[in-house]
Amino acid sequence: MFLCLPRMLKRLCFGRGSAKLIRNILKQEGLLGMFRGLSSTLIREMPGYFFFFGGYDFARRVLTKPGQSKDDIGSVKTVLCGGFAGVTCWAAVFPADVVKSRIQTGKSTAGFWKCLTTIARTEGATSGKGNMSTDI
């Protein structure tokens, strides 16, 4: 299939970047390596969407004047509601995101809960590359 590609193009496609990463993961860990951290991602995403949509709906109700429909608050207030929803979501899921990132990058081989408790015990609430206050 790739025999007709020039050598330069072949090197660009398979010498570095995503293709090389995928090839290395498949070689070292097999097909299951492509799914490392998937359960951690789901643990982060499910509550994240709850807080995102809950925060969005809460902000819409707060910004709606008495007698006005939530759909009639205007575009500026809608954008503010989206921003509030994003901050609410990330404030809720930030610890889970730190754990997910450590598992996906191979910095931790423990499961989600074991990794979370280890981080909390050894590094405290401000673990990760930065802390939540600077990231939000």
Side-chain angles (χ1 to χ4, degrees):
M1 172 157 122
F2 294 104
L3 295 176
C4 61
L5 291 175
R7 283 186 189 188
M8 188 175 186
L9 182 58
K10 213 186 260 190
R11 205 174 326 128
L12 285 173
C13 292
F14 297 101
R16 56 187 156 167
S18 300
K20 182 178 181 183
L21 177 64
I22 291 169
R23 190 177 68 221
N24 287 341
I25 290 171
L26 290 172
K27 185 187 294 183
Q28 294 173 9
E29 301 178 43
L31 187 59
L32 287 178
M34 297 299 295
F35 299 96
R36 184 186 333 130
L38 181 61
S39 60
S40 300
T41 301
L42 293 175
I43 290 170
R44 179 196 71 181
E45 290 297 312
M46 300 309 269
Y49 282 115
F50 169 80
F51 284 102
F52 181 86
F53 289 111
Y56 180 76
D57 192 57
F58 172 78
R60 284 181 70 190
R61 276 190 268 133
V62 167
L63 295 176
T64 302
K65 295 176 184 172
Q68 184 184 29
S69 168
K70 289 189 293 185
D71 297 329
D72 298 328
I73 63 172
S75 57
V76 173
K77 288 183 180 179
T78 300
V79 169
L80 290 173
C81 292
F84 180 78
V87 169
T88 304
C89 171
W90 278 106
V93 301
F94 189 79
D97 188 60
V98 171
V99 172
K100 176 206 67 83
S101 296
R102 295 216 181 156
I103 290 171
Q104 285 182 331
T105 58
K107 292 180 181 176
S108 175
T109 56
F112 181 86
W113 299 111
K114 176 82 172 158
C115 184
L116 179 66
T117 56
T118 300
I119 291 170
R121 188 174 51 255
T122 59
E123 300 176 40
T126 59
S127 62
K129 295 273 184 207
N131 62 38
M132 189 173 74
S133 63
T134 59
D135 289 338
I136 290 180

